Amino acid sequence: MAITGKWIFTASMDVDADKEALFNEVYDTEHIPHLSKVPGVISATRLKIDTLRVTMGGETKTVEPQGLPRYACVLELDSPDVLTSAAFAKAVDAGRWPSHVRPFTRNRQHTLHKVLNAAGGK
């Protein structure tokens, strides 16, 4: 997956266990489609954290995520101004997200990253 945008915005969060199925359904069928239509949003990708197993310096380590939000959404953007646009404000409050999902999320974290080098992979 090559990054083509100049900015990356992430929204990470946990959700109450009894609302997880609704969270995933609304995110996939409503929230991502609304966000994807915002001018300046190049792509929208959902992620779920997993156990990390990595070998570095000759040692293999297993790291269980602790304290980090389980779910994340990564938006690839043309500009950080997308995040303060009327279209973005409308998209984040569209559908069932604000009333049926957002109240049951916690440990919310948002980040903005400037892309420094987006070299393509193999």
mmCIF file with all atom_site columns, all heavy atoms in Angstrom, residues 6-33:
data_model
loop_
_atom_site.group_PDB
_atom_site.id
_atom_site.type_symbol
_atom_site.label_atom_id
_atom_site.label_alt_id
_atom_site.label_comp_id
_atom_site.label_asym_id
_atom_site.label_entity_id
_atom_site.label_seq_id
_atom_site.pdbx_PDB_ins_code
_atom_site.Cartn_x
_atom_site.Cartn_y
_atom_site.Cartn_z
_atom_site.occupancy
_atom_site.B_iso_or_equiv
_atom_site.pdbx_formal_charge
_atom_site.auth_seq_id
_atom_site.auth_comp_id
_atom_site.auth_asym_id
_atom_site.auth_atom_id
_atom_site.pdbx_PDB_model_num
ATOM 1   N N   . LYS A 1 6  ? -0.382  13.689 1.477  1.00 0.00 ? 6  LYS A N   1
ATOM 2   C CA  . LYS A 1 6  ? 0.666   14.418 2.177  1.00 0.00 ? 6  LYS A CA  1
ATOM 3   C C   . LYS A 1 6  ? 0.484   14.387 3.698  1.00 0.00 ? 6  LYS A C   1
ATOM 4   O O   . LYS A 1 6  ? 1.378   14.753 4.444  1.00 0.00 ? 6  LYS A O   1
ATOM 5   C CB  . LYS A 1 6  ? 0.709   15.860 1.691  1.00 0.00 ? 6  LYS A CB  1
ATOM 6   C CG  . LYS A 1 6  ? 1.062   15.990 0.220  1.00 0.00 ? 6  LYS A CG  1
ATOM 7   C CD  . LYS A 1 6  ? 1.078   17.447 -0.185 1.00 0.00 ? 6  LYS A CD  1
ATOM 8   C CE  . LYS A 1 6  ? 1.254   17.760 -1.612 1.00 0.00 ? 6  LYS A CE  1
ATOM 9   N NZ  . LYS A 1 6  ? 1.929   17.020 -2.518 1.00 0.00 ? 6  LYS A NZ  1
ATOM 10  N N   . TRP A 1 7  ? -0.695  13.950 4.146  1.00 0.00 ? 7  TRP A N   1
ATOM 11  C CA  . TRP A 1 7  ? -1.019  13.938 5.574  1.00 0.00 ? 7  TRP A CA  1
ATOM 12  C C   . TRP A 1 7  ? -1.759  12.661 5.937  1.00 0.00 ? 7  TRP A C   1
ATOM 13  O O   . TRP A 1 7  ? -2.521  12.127 5.134  1.00 0.00 ? 7  TRP A O   1
ATOM 14  C CB  . TRP A 1 7  ? -1.900  15.139 5.932  1.00 0.00 ? 7  TRP A CB  1
ATOM 15  C CG  . TRP A 1 7  ? -1.200  16.437 5.718  1.00 0.00 ? 7  TRP A CG  1
ATOM 16  C CD1 . TRP A 1 7  ? -1.169  17.169 4.556  1.00 0.00 ? 7  TRP A CD1 1
ATOM 17  C CD2 . TRP A 1 7  ? -0.409  17.154 6.644  1.00 0.00 ? 7  TRP A CD2 1
ATOM 18  N NE1 . TRP A 1 7  ? -0.401  18.292 4.720  1.00 0.00 ? 7  TRP A NE1 1
ATOM 19  C CE2 . TRP A 1 7  ? 0.082   18.306 6.008  1.00 0.00 ? 7  TRP A CE2 1
ATOM 20  C CE3 . TRP A 1 7  ? -0.054  16.931 7.979  1.00 0.00 ? 7  TRP A CE3 1
ATOM 21  C CZ2 . TRP A 1 7  ? 0.886   19.238 6.637  1.00 0.00 ? 7  TRP A CZ2 1
ATOM 22  C CZ3 . TRP A 1 7  ? 0.748   17.861 8.616  1.00 0.00 ? 7  TRP A CZ3 1
ATOM 23  C CH2 . TRP A 1 7  ? 1.215   18.997 7.952  1.00 0.00 ? 7  TRP A CH2 1
ATOM 24  N N   . ILE A 1 8  ? -1.553  12.183 7.177  1.00 0.00 ? 8  ILE A N   1
ATOM 25  C CA  . ILE A 1 8  ? -2.263  11.031 7.716  1.00 0.00 ? 8  ILE A CA  1
ATOM 26  C C   . ILE A 1 8  ? -2.921  11.451 9.031  1.00 0.00 ? 8  ILE A C   1
ATOM 27  O O   . ILE A 1 8  ? -2.249  11.978 9.928  1.00 0.00 ? 8  ILE A O   1
ATOM 28  C CB  . ILE A 1 8  ? -1.305  9.843  7.992  1.00 0.00 ? 8  ILE A CB  1
ATOM 29  C CG1 . ILE A 1 8  ? -0.617  9.379  6.720  1.00 0.00 ? 8  ILE A CG1 1
ATOM 30  C CG2 . ILE A 1 8  ? -2.043  8.707  8.693  1.00 0.00 ? 8  ILE A CG2 1
ATOM 31  C CD1 . ILE A 1 8  ? -1.523  8.733  5.710  1.00 0.00 ? 8  ILE A CD1 1
ATOM 32  N N   . PHE A 1 9  ? -4.213  11.222 9.129  1.00 0.00 ? 9  PHE A N   1
ATOM 33  C CA  . PHE A 1 9  ? -4.979  11.466 10.358 1.00 0.00 ? 9  PHE A CA  1
ATOM 34  C C   . PHE A 1 9  ? -5.414  10.119 10.907 1.00 0.00 ? 9  PHE A C   1
ATOM 35  O O   . PHE A 1 9  ? -5.873  9.258  10.148 1.00 0.00 ? 9  PHE A O   1
ATOM 36  C CB  . PHE A 1 9  ? -6.212  12.325 10.048 1.00 0.00 ? 9  PHE A CB  1
ATOM 37  C CG  . PHE A 1 9  ? -7.199  12.416 11.177 1.00 0.00 ? 9  PHE A CG  1
ATOM 38  C CD1 . PHE A 1 9  ? -6.921  13.180 12.302 1.00 0.00 ? 9  PHE A CD1 1
ATOM 39  C CD2 . PHE A 1 9  ? -8.401  11.739 11.113 1.00 0.00 ? 9  PHE A CD2 1
ATOM 40  C CE1 . PHE A 1 9  ? -7.838  13.268 13.348 1.00 0.00 ? 9  PHE A CE1 1
ATOM 41  C CE2 . PHE A 1 9  ? -9.327  11.823 12.142 1.00 0.00 ? 9  PHE A CE2 1
ATOM 42  C CZ  . PHE A 1 9  ? -9.042  12.590 13.266 1.00 0.00 ? 9  PHE A CZ  1
ATOM 43  N N   . THR A 1 10 ? -5.247  9.920  12.214 1.00 0.00 ? 10 THR A N   1
ATOM 44  C CA  . THR A 1 10 ? -5.723  8.682  12.819 1.00 0.00 ? 10 THR A CA  1
ATOM 45  C C   . THR A 1 10 ? -6.716  9.001  13.930 1.00 0.00 ? 10 THR A C   1
ATOM 46  O O   . THR A 1 10 ? -6.555  9.985  14.659 1.00 0.00 ? 10 THR A O   1
ATOM 47  C CB  . THR A 1 10 ? -4.579  7.835  13.419 1.00 0.00 ? 10 THR A CB  1
ATOM 48  O OG1 . THR A 1 10 ? -4.019  8.515  14.541 1.00 0.00 ? 10 THR A OG1 1
ATOM 49  C CG2 . THR A 1 10 ? -3.511  7.536  12.386 1.00 0.00 ? 10 THR A CG2 1
ATOM 50  N N   . ALA A 1 11 ? -7.727  8.176  14.013 1.00 0.00 ? 11 ALA A N   1
ATOM 51  C CA  . ALA A 1 11 ? -8.688  8.219  15.113 1.00 0.00 ? 11 ALA A CA  1
ATOM 52  C C   . ALA A 1 11 ? -8.715  6.817  15.703 1.00 0.00 ? 11 ALA A C   1
ATOM 53  O O   . ALA A 1 11 ? -9.070  5.861  15.016 1.00 0.00 ? 11 ALA A O   1
ATOM 54  C CB  . ALA A 1 11 ? -10.068 8.620  14.610 1.00 0.00 ? 11 ALA A CB  1
ATOM 55  N N   . SER A 1 12 ? -8.284  6.694  16.941 1.00 0.00 ? 12 SER A N   1
ATOM 56  C CA  . SER A 1 12 ? -8.209  5.392  17.606 1.00 0.00 ? 12 SER A CA  1
ATOM 57  C C   . SER A 1 12 ? -9.129  5.392  18.812 1.00 0.00 ? 12 SER A C   1
ATOM 58  O O   . SER A 1 12 ? -9.313  6.422  19.456 1.00 0.00 ? 12 SER A O   1
ATOM 59  C CB  . SER A 1 12 ? -6.776  5.116  18.068 1.00 0.00 ? 12 SER A CB  1
ATOM 60  O OG  . SER A 1 12 ? -5.887  5.180  16.992 1.00 0.00 ? 12 SER A OG  1
ATOM 61  N N   . MET A 1 13 ? -9.693  4.207  19.114 1.00 0.00 ? 13 MET A N   1
ATOM 62  C CA  . MET A 1 13 ? -10.626 4.127  20.237 1.00 0.00 ? 13 MET A CA  1
ATOM 63  C C   . MET A 1 13 ? -10.909 2.694  20.625 1.00 0.00 ? 13 MET A C   1
ATOM 64  O O   . MET A 1 13 ? -10.642 1.765  19.882 1.00 0.00 ? 13 MET A O   1
ATOM 65  C CB  . MET A 1 13 ? -11.935 4.821  19.875 1.00 0.00 ? 13 MET A CB  1
ATOM 66  C CG  . MET A 1 13 ? -12.705 4.137  18.754 1.00 0.00 ? 13 MET A CG  1
ATOM 67  S SD  . MET A 1 13 ? -13.879 5.204  17.901 1.00 0.00 ? 13 MET A SD  1
ATOM 68  C CE  . MET A 1 13 ? -12.791 6.280  17.002 1.00 0.00 ? 13 MET A CE  1
ATOM 69  N N   . ASP A 1 14 ? -11.474 2.567  21.806 1.00 0.00 ? 14 ASP A N   1
ATOM 70  C CA  . ASP A 1 14 ? -12.049 1.315  22.275 1.00 0.00 ? 14 ASP A CA  1
ATOM 71  C C   . ASP A 1 14 ? -13.559 1.489  22.249 1.00 0.00 ? 14 ASP A C   1
ATOM 72  O O   . ASP A 1 14 ? -14.066 2.616  22.197 1.00 0.00 ? 14 ASP A O   1
ATOM 73  C CB  . ASP A 1 14 ? -11.594 1.007  23.702 1.00 0.00 ? 14 ASP A CB  1
ATOM 74  C CG  . ASP A 1 14 ? -10.128 0.622  23.781 1.00 0.00 ? 14 ASP A CG  1
ATOM 75  O OD1 . ASP A 1 14 ? -9.689  -0.178 22.941 1.00 0.00 ? 14 ASP A OD1 1
ATOM 76  O OD2 . ASP A 1 14 ? -9.432  1.107  24.691 1.00 0.00 ? 14 ASP A OD2 1
ATOM 77  N N   . VAL A 1 15 ? -14.267 0.373  22.305 1.00 0.00 ? 15 VAL A N   1
ATOM 78  C CA  . VAL A 1 15 ? -15.724 0.402  22.317 1.00 0.00 ? 15 VAL A CA  1
ATOM 79  C C   . VAL A 1 15 ? -16.207 -0.596 23.364 1.00 0.00 ? 15 VAL A C   1
ATOM 80  O O   . VAL A 1 15 ? -15.562 -1.629 23.591 1.00 0.00 ? 15 VAL A O   1
ATOM 81  C CB  . VAL A 1 15 ? -16.305 0.096  20.911 1.00 0.00 ? 15 VAL A CB  1
ATOM 82  C CG1 . VAL A 1 15 ? -15.937 -1.295 20.452 1.00 0.00 ? 15 VAL A CG1 1
ATOM 83  C CG2 . VAL A 1 15 ? -17.805 0.320  20.880 1.00 0.00 ? 15 VAL A CG2 1
ATOM 84  N N   . ASP A 1 16 ? -17.325 -0.272 24.009 1.00 0.00 ? 16 ASP A N   1
ATOM 85  C CA  . ASP A 1 16 ? -17.915 -1.188 24.982 1.00 0.00 ? 16 ASP A CA  1
ATOM 86  C C   . ASP A 1 16 ? -18.186 -2.529 24.309 1.00 0.00 ? 16 ASP A C   1
ATOM 87  O O   . ASP A 1 16 ? -18.669 -2.581 23.176 1.00 0.00 ? 16 ASP A O   1
ATOM 88  C CB  . ASP A 1 16 ? -19.218 -0.620 25.536 1.00 0.00 ? 16 ASP A CB  1
ATOM 89  C CG  . ASP A 1 16 ? -19.008 0.645  26.368 1.00 0.00 ? 16 ASP A CG  1
ATOM 90  O OD1 . ASP A 1 16 ? -17.851 0.961  26.696 1.00 0.00 ? 16 ASP A OD1 1
ATOM 91  O OD2 . ASP A 1 16 ? -20.014 1.305  26.684 1.00 0.00 ? 16 ASP A OD2 1
ATOM 92  N N   . ALA A 1 17 ? -17.868 -3.617 25.011 1.00 0.00 ? 17 ALA A N   1
ATOM 93  C CA  . ALA A 1 17 ? -17.988 -4.967 24.445 1.00 0.00 ? 17 ALA A CA  1
ATOM 94  C C   . ALA A 1 17 ? -19.379 -5.263 23.915 1.00 0.00 ? 17 ALA A C   1
ATOM 95  O O   . ALA A 1 17 ? -19.532 -5.868 22.853 1.00 0.00 ? 17 ALA A O   1
ATOM 96  C CB  . ALA A 1 17 ? -17.585 -6.004 25.486 1.00 0.00 ? 17 ALA A CB  1
ATOM 97  N N   . ASP A 1 18 ? -20.421 -4.804 24.604 1.00 0.00 ? 18 ASP A N   1
ATOM 98  C CA  . ASP A 1 18 ? -21.784 -5.106 24.169 1.00 0.00 ? 18 ASP A CA  1
ATOM 99  C C   . ASP A 1 18 ? -22.216 -4.287 22.956 1.00 0.00 ? 18 ASP A C   1
ATOM 100 O O   . ASP A 1 18 ? -23.272 -4.530 22.385 1.00 0.00 ? 18 ASP A O   1
ATOM 101 C CB  . ASP A 1 18 ? -22.780 -4.926 25.311 1.00 0.00 ? 18 ASP A CB  1
ATOM 102 C CG  . ASP A 1 18 ? -22.870 -3.502 25.828 1.00 0.00 ? 18 ASP A CG  1
ATOM 103 O OD1 . ASP A 1 18 ? -21.868 -2.764 25.731 1.00 0.00 ? 18 ASP A OD1 1
ATOM 104 O OD2 . ASP A 1 18 ? -23.941 -3.131 26.340 1.00 0.00 ? 18 ASP A OD2 1
ATOM 105 N N   . LYS A 1 19 ? -21.389 -3.328 22.524 1.00 0.00 ? 19 LYS A N   1
ATOM 106 C CA  . LYS A 1 19 ? -21.690 -2.497 21.348 1.00 0.00 ? 19 LYS A CA  1
ATOM 107 C C   . LYS A 1 19 ? -20.721 -2.764 20.194 1.00 0.00 ? 19 LYS A C   1
ATOM 108 O O   . LYS A 1 19 ? -20.776 -2.103 19.163 1.00 0.00 ? 19 LYS A O   1
ATOM 109 C CB  . LYS A 1 19 ? -21.637 -1.005 21.716 1.00 0.00 ? 19 LYS A CB  1
ATOM 110 C CG  . LYS A 1 19 ? -22.632 -0.598 22.771 1.00 0.00 ? 19 LYS A CG  1
ATOM 111 C CD  . LYS A 1 19 ? -24.050 -0.705 22.260 1.00 0.00 ? 19 LYS A CD  1
ATOM 112 C CE  . LYS A 1 19 ? -25.025 -0.216 23.319 1.00 0.00 ? 19 LYS A CE  1
ATOM 113 N NZ  . LYS A 1 19 ? -26.407 -0.369 22.896 1.00 0.00 ? 19 LYS A NZ  1
ATOM 114 N N   . GLU A 1 20 ? -19.823 -3.742 20.359 1.00 0.00 ? 20 GLU A N   1
ATOM 115 C CA  . GLU A 1 20 ? -18.770 -3.980 19.365 1.00 0.00 ? 20 GLU A CA  1
ATOM 116 C C   . GLU A 1 20 ? -19.327 -4.369 17.988 1.00 0.00 ? 20 GLU A C   1
ATOM 117 O O   . GLU A 1 20 ? -18.852 -3.884 16.966 1.00 0.00 ? 20 GLU A O   1
ATOM 118 C CB  . GLU A 1 20 ? -17.800 -5.037 19.867 1.00 0.00 ? 20 GLU A CB  1
ATOM 119 C CG  . GLU A 1 20 ? -16.499 -5.043 19.098 1.00 0.00 ? 20 GLU A CG  1
ATOM 120 C CD  . GLU A 1 20 ? -15.394 -5.784 19.837 1.00 0.00 ? 20 GLU A CD  1
ATOM 121 O OE1 . GLU A 1 20 ? -15.654 -6.402 20.893 1.00 0.00 ? 20 GLU A OE1 1
ATOM 122 O OE2 . GLU A 1 20 ? -14.269 -5.747 19.337 1.00 0.00 ? 20 GLU A OE2 1
ATOM 123 N N   . ALA A 1 21 ? -20.332 -5.213 17.941 1.00 0.00 ? 21 ALA A N   1
ATOM 124 C CA  . ALA A 1 21 ? -20.906 -5.625 16.647 1.00 0.00 ? 21 ALA A CA  1
ATOM 125 C C   . ALA A 1 21 ? -21.529 -4.418 15.945 1.00 0.00 ? 21 ALA A C   1
ATOM 126 O O   . ALA A 1 21 ? -21.322 -4.218 14.740 1.00 0.00 ? 21 ALA A O   1
ATOM 127 C CB  . ALA A 1 21 ? -21.936 -6.729 16.842 1.00 0.00 ? 21 ALA A CB  1
ATOM 128 N N   . LEU A 1 22 ? -22.274 -3.610 16.676 1.00 0.00 ? 22 LEU A N   1
ATOM 129 C CA  . LEU A 1 22 ? -22.880 -2.406 16.093 1.00 0.00 ? 22 LEU A CA  1
ATOM 130 C C   . LEU A 1 22 ? -21.794 -1.428 15.647 1.00 0.00 ? 22 LEU A C   1
ATOM 131 O O   . LEU A 1 22 ? -21.865 -0.856 14.557 1.00 0.00 ? 22 LEU A O   1
ATOM 132 C CB  . LEU A 1 22 ? -23.818 -1.739 17.098 1.00 0.00 ? 22 LEU A CB  1
ATOM 133 C CG  . LEU A 1 22 ? -24.459 -0.434 16.626 1.00 0.00 ? 22 LEU A CG  1
ATOM 134 C CD1 . LEU A 1 22 ? -25.414 -0.686 15.458 1.00 0.00 ? 22 LEU A CD1 1
ATOM 135 C CD2 . LEU A 1 22 ? -25.189 0.251  17.781 1.00 0.00 ? 22 LEU A CD2 1
ATOM 136 N N   . PHE A 1 23 ? -20.770 -1.236 16.470 1.00 0.00 ? 23 PHE A N   1
ATOM 137 C CA  . PHE A 1 23 ? -19.634 -0.368 16.152 1.00 0.00 ? 23 PHE A CA  1
ATOM 138 C C   . PHE A 1 23 ? -19.035 -0.758 14.797 1.00 0.00 ? 23 PHE A C   1
ATOM 139 O O   . PHE A 1 23 ? -18.861 0.090  13.912 1.00 0.00 ? 23 PHE A O   1
ATOM 140 C CB  . PHE A 1 23 ? -18.591 -0.500 17.269 1.00 0.00 ? 23 PHE A CB  1
ATOM 141 C CG  . PHE A 1 23 ? -17.264 0.141  17.004 1.00 0.00 ? 23 PHE A CG  1
ATOM 142 C CD1 . PHE A 1 23 ? -17.052 1.478  17.284 1.00 0.00 ? 23 PHE A CD1 1
ATOM 143 C CD2 . PHE A 1 23 ? -16.197 -0.606 16.518 1.00 0.00 ? 23 PHE A CD2 1
ATOM 144 C CE1 . PHE A 1 23 ? -15.808 2.065  17.067 1.00 0.00 ? 23 PHE A CE1 1
ATOM 145 C CE2 . PHE A 1 23 ? -14.955 -0.036 16.301 1.00 0.00 ? 23 PHE A CE2 1
ATOM 146 C CZ  . PHE A 1 23 ? -14.759 1.311  16.577 1.00 0.00 ? 23 PHE A CZ  1
ATOM 147 N N   . ASN A 1 24 ? -18.726 -2.048 14.625 1.00 0.00 ? 24 ASN A N   1
ATOM 148 C CA  . ASN A 1 24 ? -18.108 -2.505 13.385 1.00 0.00 ? 24 ASN A CA  1
ATOM 149 C C   . ASN A 1 24 ? -19.050 -2.375 12.192 1.00 0.00 ? 24 ASN A C   1
ATOM 150 O O   . ASN A 1 24 ? -18.620 -1.970 11.102 1.00 0.00 ? 24 ASN A O   1
ATOM 151 C CB  . ASN A 1 24 ? -17.605 -3.943 13.544 1.00 0.00 ? 24 ASN A CB  1
ATOM 152 C CG  . ASN A 1 24 ? -16.361 -4.002 14.379 1.00 0.00 ? 24 ASN A CG  1
ATOM 153 O OD1 . ASN A 1 24 ? -15.409 -3.266 14.169 1.00 0.00 ? 24 ASN A OD1 1
ATOM 154 N ND2 . ASN A 1 24 ? -16.360 -4.874 15.375 1.00 0.00 ? 24 ASN A ND2 1
ATOM 155 N N   . GLU A 1 25 ? -20.320 -2.694 12.390 1.00 0.00 ? 25 GLU A N   1
ATOM 156 C CA  . GLU A 1 25 ? -21.283 -2.575 11.291 1.00 0.00 ? 25 GLU A CA  1
ATOM 157 C C   . GLU A 1 25 ? -21.449 -1.125 10.831 1.00 0.00 ? 25 GLU A C   1
ATOM 158 O O   . GLU A 1 25 ? -21.360 -0.822 9.638  1.00 0.00 ? 25 GLU A O   1
ATOM 159 C CB  . GLU A 1 25 ? -22.645 -3.135 11.732 1.00 0.00 ? 25 GLU A CB  1
ATOM 160 C CG  . GLU A 1 25 ? -23.664 -3.142 10.605 1.00 0.00 ? 25 GLU A CG  1
ATOM 161 C CD  . GLU A 1 25 ? -24.981 -2.483 10.987 1.00 0.00 ? 25 GLU A CD  1
ATOM 162 O OE1 . GLU A 1 25 ? -25.405 -2.593 12.140 1.00 0.00 ? 25 GLU A OE1 1
ATOM 163 O OE2 . GLU A 1 25 ? -25.565 -1.839 10.101 1.00 0.00 ? 25 GLU A OE2 1
ATOM 164 N N   . VAL A 1 26 ? -21.633 -0.208 11.786 1.00 0.00 ? 26 VAL A N   1
ATOM 165 C CA  . VAL A 1 26 ? -21.822 1.211  11.437 1.00 0.00 ? 26 VAL A CA  1
ATOM 166 C C   . VAL A 1 26 ? -20.540 1.785  10.848 1.00 0.00 ? 26 VAL A C   1
ATOM 167 O O   . VAL A 1 26 ? -20.580 2.541  9.878  1.00 0.00 ? 26 VAL A O   1
ATOM 168 C CB  . VAL A 1 26 ? -22.303 2.019  12.663 1.00 0.00 ? 26 VAL A CB  1
ATOM 169 C CG1 . VAL A 1 26 ? -22.288 3.515  12.382 1.00 0.00 ? 26 VAL A CG1 1
ATOM 170 C CG2 . VAL A 1 26 ? -23.704 1.569  13.075 1.00 0.00 ? 26 VAL A CG2 1
ATOM 171 N N   . TYR A 1 27 ? -19.398 1.421  11.411 1.00 0.00 ? 27 TYR A N   1
ATOM 172 C CA  . TYR A 1 27 ? -18.128 1.929  10.880 1.00 0.00 ? 27 TYR A CA  1
ATOM 173 C C   . TYR A 1 27 ? -17.965 1.517  9.416  1.00 0.00 ? 27 TYR A C   1
ATOM 174 O O   . TYR A 1 27 ? -17.635 2.348  8.555  1.00 0.00 ? 27 TYR A O   1
ATOM 175 C CB  . TYR A 1 27 ? -16.948 1.395  11.703 1.00 0.00 ? 27 TYR A CB  1
ATOM 176 C CG  . TYR A 1 27 ? -15.911 2.440  12.022 1.00 0.00 ? 27 TYR A CG  1
ATOM 177 C CD1 . TYR A 1 27 ? -15.475 2.623  13.317 1.00 0.00 ? 27 TYR A CD1 1
ATOM 178 C CD2 . TYR A 1 27 ? -15.358 3.256  11.037 1.00 0.00 ? 27 TYR A CD2 1
ATOM 179 C CE1 . TYR A 1 27 ? -14.519 3.581  13.636 1.00 0.00 ? 27 TYR A CE1 1
ATOM 180 C CE2 . TYR A 1 27 ? -14.401 4.213  11.335 1.00 0.00 ? 27 TYR A CE2 1
ATOM 181 C CZ  . TYR A 1 27 ? -13.994 4.370  12.641 1.00 0.00 ? 27 TYR A CZ  1
ATOM 182 O OH  . TYR A 1 27 ? -13.048 5.317  12.938 1.00 0.00 ? 27 TYR A OH  1
ATOM 183 N N   . ASP A 1 28 ? -18.199 0.233  9.117  1.00 0.00 ? 28 ASP A N   1
ATOM 184 C CA  . ASP A 1 28 ? -17.995 -0.283 7.765  1.00 0.00 ? 28 ASP A CA  1
ATOM 185 C C   . ASP A 1 28 ? -19.037 0.183  6.761  1.00 0.00 ? 28 ASP A C   1
ATOM 186 O O   . ASP A 1 28 ? -18.700 0.482  5.608  1.00 0.00 ? 28 ASP A O   1
ATOM 187 C CB  . ASP A 1 28 ? -17.974 -1.813 7.773  1.00 0.00 ? 28 ASP A CB  1
ATOM 188 C CG  . ASP A 1 28 ? -16.724 -2.374 8.427  1.00 0.00 ? 28 ASP A CG  1
ATOM 189 O OD1 . ASP A 1 28 ? -15.712 -1.657 8.530  1.00 0.00 ? 28 ASP A OD1 1
ATOM 190 O OD2 . ASP A 1 28 ? -16.761 -3.557 8.836  1.00 0.00 ? 28 ASP A OD2 1
ATOM 191 N N   . THR A 1 29 ? -20.304 0.237  7.171  1.00 0.00 ? 29 THR A N   1
ATOM 192 C CA  . THR A 1 29 ? -21.378 0.508  6.210  1.00 0.00 ? 29 THR A CA  1
ATOM 193 C C   . THR A 1 29 ? -21.787 1.973  6.129  1.00 0.00 ? 29 THR A C   1
ATOM 194 O O   . THR A 1 29 ? -22.414 2.378  5.152  1.00 0.00 ? 29 THR A O   1
ATOM 195 C CB  . THR A 1 29 ? -22.628 -0.334 6.532  1.00 0.00 ? 29 THR A CB  1
ATOM 196 O OG1 . THR A 1 29 ? -23.147 0.057  7.803  1.00 0.00 ? 29 THR A OG1 1
ATOM 197 C CG2 . THR A 1 29 ? -22.306 -1.821 6.511  1.00 0.00 ? 29 THR A CG2 1
ATOM 198 N N   . GLU A 1 30 ? -21.437 2.773  7.155  1.00 0.00 ? 30 GLU A N   1
ATOM 199 C CA  . GLU A 1 30 ? -21.839 4.180  7.157  1.00 0.00 ? 30 GLU A CA  1
ATOM 200 C C   . GLU A 1 30 ? -20.661 5.142  7.318  1.00 0.00 ? 30 GLU A C   1
ATOM 201 O O   . GLU A 1 30 ? -20.467 6.032  6.493  1.00 0.00 ? 30 GLU A O   1
ATOM 202 C CB  . GLU A 1 30 ? -22.839 4.445  8.300  1.00 0.00 ? 30 GLU A CB  1
ATOM 203 C CG  . GLU A 1 30 ? -24.149 3.709  8.160  1.00 0.00 ? 30 GLU A CG  1
ATOM 204 C CD  . GLU A 1 30 ? -25.103 3.973  9.320  1.00 0.00 ? 30 GLU A CD  1
ATOM 205 O OE1 . GLU A 1 30 ? -25.003 5.034  9.964  1.00 0.00 ? 30 GLU A OE1 1
ATOM 206 O OE2 . GLU A 1 30 ? -25.952 3.097  9.589  1.00 0.00 ? 30 GLU A OE2 1
ATOM 207 N N   . HIS A 1 31 ? -19.907 4.963  8.406  1.00 0.00 ? 31 HIS A N   1
ATOM 208 C CA  . HIS A 1 31 ? -18.896 5.967  8.752  1.00 0.00 ? 31 HIS A CA  1
ATOM 209 C C   . HIS A 1 31 ? -17.785 6.063  7.704  1.00 0.00 ? 31 HIS A C   1
ATOM 210 O O   . HIS A 1 31 ? -17.469 7.161  7.231  1.00 0.00 ? 31 HIS A O   1
ATOM 211 C CB  . HIS A 1 31 ? -18.328 5.667  10.140 1.00 0.00 ? 31 HIS A CB  1
ATOM 212 C CG  . HIS A 1 31 ? -17.789 6.859  10.856 1.00 0.00 ? 31 HIS A CG  1
ATOM 213 N ND1 . HIS A 1 31 ? -18.494 8.034  11.004 1.00 0.00 ? 31 HIS A ND1 1
ATOM 214 C CD2 . HIS A 1 31 ? -16.595 7.055  11.480 1.00 0.00 ? 31 HIS A CD2 1
ATOM 215 C CE1 . HIS A 1 31 ? -17.763 8.908  11.684 1.00 0.00 ? 31 HIS A CE1 1
ATOM 216 N NE2 . HIS A 1 31 ? -16.606 8.343  11.975 1.00 0.00 ? 31 HIS A NE2 1
ATOM 217 N N   . ILE A 1 32 ? -17.199 4.927  7.324  1.00 0.00 ? 32 ILE A N   1
ATOM 218 C CA  . ILE A 1 32 ? -16.135 4.950  6.301  1.00 0.00 ? 32 ILE A CA  1
ATOM 219 C C   . ILE A 1 32 ? -16.674 5.500  4.975  1.00 0.00 ? 32 ILE A C   1
ATOM 220 O O   . ILE A 1 32 ? -16.030 6.362  4.365  1.00 0.00 ? 32 ILE A O   1
ATOM 221 C CB  . ILE A 1 32 ? -15.491 3.556  6.130  1.00 0.00 ? 32 ILE A CB  1
ATOM 222 C CG1 . ILE A 1 32 ? -14.644 3.217  7.349  1.00 0.00 ? 32 ILE A CG1 1
ATOM 223 C CG2 . ILE A 1 32 ? -14.673 3.464  4.854  1.00 0.00 ? 32 ILE A CG2 1
ATOM 224 C CD1 . ILE A 1 32 ? -13.347 3.995  7.498  1.00 0.00 ? 32 ILE A CD1 1
ATOM 225 N N   . PRO A 1 33 ? -17.842 5.056  4.487  1.00 0.00 ? 33 PRO A N   1
ATOM 226 C CA  . PRO A 1 33 ? -18.352 5.636  3.240  1.00 0.00 ? 33 PRO A CA  1
ATOM 227 C C   . PRO A 1 33 ? -18.578 7.151  3.323  1.00 0.00 ? 33 PRO A C   1
ATOM 228 O O   . PRO A 1 33 ? -18.256 7.873  2.371  1.00 0.00 ? 33 PRO A O   1
ATOM 229 C CB  . PRO A 1 33 ? -19.669 4.892  3.010  1.00 0.00 ? 33 PRO A CB  1
ATOM 230 C CG  . PRO A 1 33 ? -19.453 3.562  3.661  1.00 0.00 ? 33 PRO A CG  1
ATOM 231 C CD  . PRO A 1 33 ? -18.642 3.874  4.894  1.00 0.00 ? 33 PRO A CD  1
#
